[in-house]
Amino acid sequence: MKKRAIPRHIGIIMDGNGRWAEMRGLPRFEGHKRGVQRVKEIVEVSSNIGVEVLSLYAFSIENWMRPVDEVSVIIGLLEKSLKGEFLNFMKEGVRFKVIGNRDKLPENIKSIIETTEHVTENNKGLILQCAISYGGRDEIIRAIRKAINQDLSPEDITEDSISRLLDTAGIPDPDLIIRTSGEQRLSNFLLWQSAYSEFYFTDTLWPDFTKEELLEAIHEYQMRDRRFGKVAIQKGLNIGVGSAF
Ligand code: IPE
Ligand code: IPE
Ligand code: MG
């Protein structure tokens, strides 16, 4: 694949763990375990092909409303895999970052997240941005509160200043958002940032998602014309003809 055509930032809504397990007569947590195992390969490939940022939707703010047993399994798995991957992040140069509402997280995972972010902050490889306890609307509300606390005036409210107040400050918007499991919705993922993202939906359940399918999604992305509201000729594409304007 040509390096220049690789999306700088890929977001993945990793959905379908529960159905993967239910289809096999297994408890839902088995699906979450398998789902966590898939992450490693996808991080590795993304890093190898030159993706700059990989954002993984691991746990939404609405997911707190699931049965408490399932919530504690998911949070436990996140904690365990963070501890387990720490040395690999250092070896691979991965910079780890969490977006989402930390106030709702238990203390132990919060401190593991903070330590991992701190220790990996000067790494120069892939930025792995994990959305945990994340909701796009919640993120926007927290940004507005920050703006008010910083006494920003109405004129100070711009696309740039809002972007800087979001959890994703300093990170380019996602070029490509992939959702597994056949659902075709954002479920509150990166609402502000996805304004001009390309979407790739697949029926594959997250525990079955492979690097081949990631490459397939990127290939499809490379065929798209991203016009950003302009006409093709302004983007240097070879399809625009005369215009009435
Ligand atoms: C995605 O899988 C993981 C989380 C939301 C934490 P689901 O648990 O939503 O799986 P389905 O959608 O029920 O199959
Ligand atoms: C979205 O999946 C959140 C994650 C993948 C972490 P959900 O399974 O929670 O979304 P809905 O409920 O189907 O919209
Ligand atoms: Mg789901």
Side-chain angles (χ1 to χ4, degrees):
M1 275 187 185
K2 288 187 215 133
K3 170 93 164 67
R4 65 182 163 79
I6 296 289
R8 286 182 74 189
H9 180 176
I10 300 179
I12 309 185
I13 303 172
M14 309 183 292
D15 198 13
N17 294 348
R19 276 164 284 171
W20 184 92
E22 281 157 11
M23 277 166 55
R24 287 162 177 76
L26 298 168
R28 291 176 58 87
F29 74 83
E30 290 290 350
H32 295 309
K33 271 194 190 163
R34 291 293 285 244
V36 168
Q37 288 167 16
R38 284 283 79 224
V39 170
K40 206 175 161 67
E41 178 183 273
I42 299 305
V43 169
E44 235 169 66
V45 183
S46 303
S47 167
N48 290 343
I49 63 176
V51 172
E52 289 172 42
V53 186
L54 179 68
S55 293
L56 298 178
Y57 204 4
F59 189 77
S60 75
I61 202 152
E62 284 80 21
N63 289 152
W64 288 114
M65 293 184 289
R66 290 193 181 192
V68 12
D69 287 0
E70 180 164 347
V71 169
S72 53
V73 165
I74 297 170
I75 298 295
L77 279 169
L78 287 172
E79 190 179 330
K80 197 167 140 214
S81 53
L82 251 184
K83 283 184 189 158
E85 283 308 304
F86 184 74
L87 285 175
N88 277 333
F89 290 161
M90 295 314 288
K91 209 169 79 196
E92 311 291 334
V94 170
R95 190 176 133 205
F96 179 80
K97 216 179 148 267
V98 165
I99 54 172
N101 193 322
R102 297 182 190 210
D103 294 346
K104 295 183 185 290
L105 286 170
E107 276 311 316
N108 47 343
I109 185 165
K110 216 155 63 179
S111 78
I112 293 166
I113 288 170
E114 278 162 16
T115 310
T116 313
E117 284 179 332
H118 180 66
V119 177
T120 64
E121 77 187 342
N122 293 318
N123 286 350
K124 297 286 178 271
L126 177 81
I127 298 174
L128 178 60
Q129 184 170 250
C130 228
I132 301 178
S133 185
Y134 176 87
R137 288 184 174 182
D138 174 76
E139 182 190 32
I140 292 168
I141 289 169
R142 286 185 288 105
I144 295 171
R145 288 185 181 150
K146 283 182 217 165
I148 293 169
N149 286 332
Q150 292 172 14
D151 283 330
L152 294 195
S153 65
E155 299 72 41
D156 293 331
I157 302 295
T158 62
E159 290 198 10
D160 279 347
S161 70
I162 292 181
S163 295
R164 278 197 301 272
L165 292 168
L166 295 170
D167 297 348
T168 51
I171 301 287
D173 287 340
D175 300 294
L176 170 65
I177 293 185
I178 298 171
R179 183 167 187 152
T180 59
S181 91
E183 311 302 345
Q184 301 195 355
R185 53 179 173 263
L186 269 178
S187 301
N188 213 359
F189 187 50
L190 299 178
L191 294 184
W192 171 275
Q193 299 87 339
S194 62
Y196 271 101
S197 301
E198 298 293 329
F199 290 90
Y200 177 88
F201 297 109
T202 170
D203 287 339
T204 304
L205 302 174
W206 175 252
D208 293 328
F209 191 82
T210 58
K211 63 173 183 236
E212 285 75 22
E213 191 155 9
L214 174 67
L215 298 178
E216 173 59 36
I218 294 174
H219 184 68
E220 197 185 302
Y221 164 86
Q222 290 171 328
M223 313 296 226
R224 308 257 180 101
D225 287 333
R226 301 186 75 193
R227 289 186 289 277
F228 299 97
K230 301 177 182 175
V231 294
I233 204 148
Q234 291 174 288
K235 297 290 302 168
L237 301 172
N238 201 17
I239 49 171
V241 280
S243 151
F245 298 99

